[in-house]
Amino acid sequence: MIVRSASRCCSKLRSATCGPCIRFSKPQCRRFSMPASAPGGPPTSSAGMLAPFVTELDKIAPSFKINGSQIRVLQTPSEFYETFKDKIRKAEKRIFLSTLYIGKSEKELIATLQQALRDKPKLKLSILTDGLRGTREAPDPSCASLLAPLIEEFGPDRVEIRLYHTPNLTGLRKKYIPKRINEGWGLQHMKLYGFDDEIILSGANLSNDYFTNRQDRYHLFSSKDVTEYFSNLHGAISSLSFLVEPSDSPAGFNMTWPDTNSAPSPLADPKQFVAEASGLLAGLIASKTTALTAKDQIPDDKRDTSVYVLSQFSQLLSPDTSTELPAVKHILGTLSSPLYAKSSWTFTAGYFNPAPSLSNLLINTASEKGTVITASPDANGFYKSPGVSGLLPGAYTLLARRFLRSVHQHKRDSAITLREWKRGTIDDPDRWTYHAKGLWVTMPFEKNPAITLVGSSNYTKRSYSLDLEANALIVTENEELKQRLGDEQRWVQEHSAVVTRDDFAKTERRVGLKVRIAMMIVQLLGGAL
């Protein structure tokens, strides 16, 4: 199918969701280069050690050069929430939020949005959530019913609410698979929180636990270029989503498919939906072009940090030209070189189920120190939850055990450590859960990371086949930013402890037959954890 031009793409998106139309040019040049070194010896400078990474990354994904001071690393759920509300109050032109869901009881957050819209008549709001998660409780109160009154008060020209629906769940699957598990066939999982010319990238959803006692990661980018790019990404997916309209029905809303959308409904014609989506998105995520937007007013000699904007849209692209998985595989593959024997890395995922290709690459890095952090069973958000989802912590325990077994088989026990994060117990009212995800890479003979990956992805099979993900890969020479990334890497580990194969062999850590059967059933039906 002929790929639409970028201008045609943007013309299909509503003004509330999309800023100036993206144009394209040849990729910007990079300042990373391999330095001179002793014959046969490794490169010695930071730039030289980063060169093998960025040379290939430039071929994989679009990127922007900014200054490291434009990235702020937030630490706690409360800091995230307070910063979030502050940015809403200060926004003048636009707020765009892509998230899995907004908690149905988030009255304070909605009130903050309402007040900002009342105070700023020119302010526009666009919210994109997942259609399955956002309507799961309907006709009882749901994410969609919580947001619909905003349209009623401020009108559809200022407020747009979109619900994305996967093309993978149609027909008999949609009819018979229970709501509690139908999300296993694909979700809108991006977490993009944009305010004028700033954006927070995170793995956190917008509900009370993520604002109080559910640990995640949060990076605030004060960059017009980065924000504008993700605004266009948000707008593109919104144009492939259902529109929410307020109604007097018991649910409090209706879902419609506007004629102005960029494709037919995924429920009516899933194949054509994917074909049209592929044309819409291909130019936006293409590696051969770099978006030209407002451009940050930063002198070229101060642009010491590259931000690669990564997307995983496998369910929408045919052929699949997603950029996240190739970028992550390239980073880990590069670390297998003996040049990086003195490097170190930390990988974390709240739900430990990395794609098999990533597990193999992690184990086969040459790095002398690798750390994997995951949630302990009772720090898992699904611990003791009702129904099938309550089996998930056991499933992740089984997968972590298998990972350590593979580490041992490859004789990497002394180099790779698994840590479980735990803060409080299930009976503790102050108990926290763990949802952080990402990667940090520290170059040889350095103290702090020069590379990190932050965003929505869980790095699982479903992330790379079923969900919509958006991430930023940061590659920096800025020493102050490296220090902030090092601090983040260290505080994420504060409540974690090393877990060994002997720990998993204990009776209380054994996984029951029900968990193994449930995992098999999900896979047979085409879903994924």
Side-chain angles (χ1 to χ4, degrees):
M1 165 175 191
I2 297 176
V3 175
R4 294 175 178 79
S5 68
S7 59
R8 183 178 173 192
C9 157
C10 287
S11 69
K12 291 199 141 205
L13 309 183
R14 295 172 58 91
S15 59
T17 64
C18 186
C21 193
I22 275 191
R23 296 169 293 156
F24 298 98
S25 71
K26 294 180 180 178
Q28 299 172 343
C29 294
R30 298 290 179 262
R31 292 186 293 115
F32 299 107
S33 60
M34 195 73 76
S37 59
T44 56
S45 73
S46 174
M49 296 305 290
L50 291 172
F53 294 95
V54 301
T55 300
E56 186 64 24
L57 287 171
D58 287 343
K59 302 174 185 177
I60 294 174
S63 66
F64 299 94
K65 296 283 286 185
I66 66 174
N67 183 267
S69 64
Q70 292 174 265
I71 301 175
R72 177 183 164 196
V73 181
L74 309 179
Q75 181 173 355
T76 63
S78 60
E79 185 182 11
F80 165 58
Y81 187 40
E82 293 306 315
T83 301
F84 195 96
K85 291 187 294 182
D86 181 63
K87 296 302 178 184
I88 290 173
R89 296 184 188 108
K90 292 178 178 177
E92 298 287 341
K93 301 174 296 181
R94 65 178 177 184
I95 298 171
F96 63 94
L97 310 175
S98 297
T99 190
L100 175 60
Y101 67 95
I102 297 177
K104 60 186 178 182
S105 61
E106 291 310 310
K107 302 274 175 42
E108 182 184 38
L109 176 58
I110 299 303
T112 305
L113 289 167
Q114 282 178 317
Q115 194 59 52
L117 289 162
R118 290 167 184 162
D119 293 344
K120 314 278 180 62
K122 294 184 179 180
L123 180 64
K124 293 187 176 183
L125 170 67
S126 174
I127 299 178
L128 168 67
T129 74
D130 182 70
L132 298 174
R133 178 64 69 90
T135 62
R136 187 168 68 184
E137 300 89 350
D140 293 332
S142 65
C143 170
S145 65
L146 178 74
L147 297 172
L150 292 173
I151 308 167
E152 213 162 18
E153 179 175 353
F154 300 102
D157 291 334
R158 293 187 64 199
V159 176
E160 181 181 71
I161 310 300
R162 293 281 186 158
L163 298 174
Y164 175 84
H165 193 292
T166 174
N168 297 328
L169 190 70
T170 60
L172 294 177
R173 273 184 184 171
K174 183 170 178 63
K175 184 175 181 179
Y176 291 111
I177 292 176
K179 287 185 176 182
R180 287 291 298 179
I181 63 171
N182 64 8
E183 297 169 13
W185 279 259
L187 296 168
Q188 189 309 102
H189 200 247
M190 300 187 298
K191 317 295 167 60
L192 306 172
Y193 305 130
F195 319 90
D196 289 342
D197 297 324
E198 295 183 299
I199 186 168
I200 297 173
L201 264 69
S202 178
N205 294 301
L206 302 180
S207 63
N208 183 64
D209 51 346
Y210 289 94
F211 301 151
T212 55
N213 60 356
R214 187 156 172 76
Q215 185 64 55
D216 215 299
R217 297 178 68 206
Y218 334 86
H219 285 204
L220 171 62
F221 296 80
S222 298
S223 164
K224 294 179 181 179
D225 288 344
V226 173
T227 304
E228 190 63 29
Y229 179 88
F230 282 117
S231 173
N232 280 278
L233 200 65
H234 167 97
I237 302 301
S238 292
S239 77
L240 297 168
S241 302
F242 285 92
L243 183 69
V244 172
E245 295 178 343
S247 80
D248 295 328
S249 68
F253 66 93
N254 290 325
M255 292 169 57
T256 64
W257 192 264
D259 292 338
T260 54
N261 271 11
S262 298
S265 164
L267 300 181
D269 192 343
K271 288 185 178 180
Q272 189 60 29
F273 174 80
V274 171
E276 296 288 334
S278 297
L280 178 68
L281 296 169
L284 188 55
I285 67 173
S287 60
K288 296 179 181 178
T289 52
T290 298
L292 292 176
T293 55
K295 286 206 168 184
D296 298 332
Q297 301 300 309
I298 303 293
D300 286 347
D301 63 348
K302 300 295 185 182
R303 294 176 182 262
D304 52 21
T305 301
S306 290
V307 179
Y308 292 87
V309 285
L310 305 180
S311 305
Q312 194 69 34
F313 295 153
S314 298
Q315 64 170 275
L316 291 178
L317 295 170
S318 181
D320 188 358
T321 55
S322 297
T323 55
E324 182 199 323
L325 182 58
V328 178
K329 289 171 73 173
H330 167 63
I331 293 169
L332 298 179
T334 302
L335 289 175
S336 68
S337 166
L339 285 174
Y340 297 96
K342 295 296 182 181
S343 69
S344 63
W345 52 262
T346 298
F347 172 83
T348 188
Y351 308 132
F352 187 76
N353 184 22
S357 59
L358 297 192
S359 291
N360 292 335
L361 286 167
L362 286 168
I363 292 170
N364 285 289
T365 59
S367 308
E368 66 178 8
K369 183 180 180 183
T371 303
V372 175
I373 310 168
T374 190
S376 71
D378 52 0
N380 187 298
F382 293 106
Y383 189 63
K384 290 194 174 181
S385 67
V388 176
S389 58
L391 300 176
L392 288 173
Y396 295 125
T397 293
L398 178 61
L399 293 166
R401 179 177 180 173
R402 289 174 179 172
F403 176 77
L404 274 189
R405 183 175 63 196
S406 185
V407 168
H408 178 71
Q409 290 170 345
H410 285 79
K411 297 180 171 54
R412 295 283 286 157
D413 305 75
S414 62
I416 297 176
T417 302
L418 177 67
R419 304 181 70 94
E420 283 188 342
W421 193 96
K422 179 179 179 180
R423 185 172 178 180
T425 62
I426 190 64
D427 299 320
D428 187 346
D430 297 323
R431 164 185 171 259
W432 285 41
T433 57
Y434 187 76
H435 196 250
K437 64 279 301 266
L439 176 69
W440 299 261
V441 179
T442 300
M443 293 297 102
F445 308 108
E446 293 199 2
K447 179 182 178 182
N448 294 307
I451 298 174
T452 195
L453 181 60
V454 63
S456 64
S457 182
N458 287 314
Y459 313 110
T460 61
K461 176 184 175 182
R462 66 171 292 169
S463 295
Y464 297 133
S465 59
L466 298 173
D467 293 344
L468 304 187
E469 308 284 8
N471 305 272
L473 175 62
I474 300 167
V475 181
T476 187
E477 295 181 80
N478 185 293
E479 293 300 326
E480 292 181 356
L481 177 55
K482 288 182 186 180
Q483 179 66 52
R484 293 196 294 278
L485 296 177
D487 291 341
E488 179 189 39
Q489 179 183 237
R490 286 182 282 274
W491 78 54
V492 163
Q493 297 188 49
E494 281 183 1
H495 298 281
S496 69
V498 174
V499 182
T500 67
R501 291 189 305 131
D502 290 340
D503 293 318
F504 283 125
K506 294 176 181 176
T507 303
E508 64 269 21
R509 298 304 300 269
R510 291 179 182 172
V511 175
L513 182 61
K514 286 195 298 184
V515 171
R516 298 171 189 265
I517 292 174
M519 292 171 68
M520 291 174 58
I521 291 173
V522 169
Q523 292 172 352
L524 287 171
L525 291 175
L529 295 175

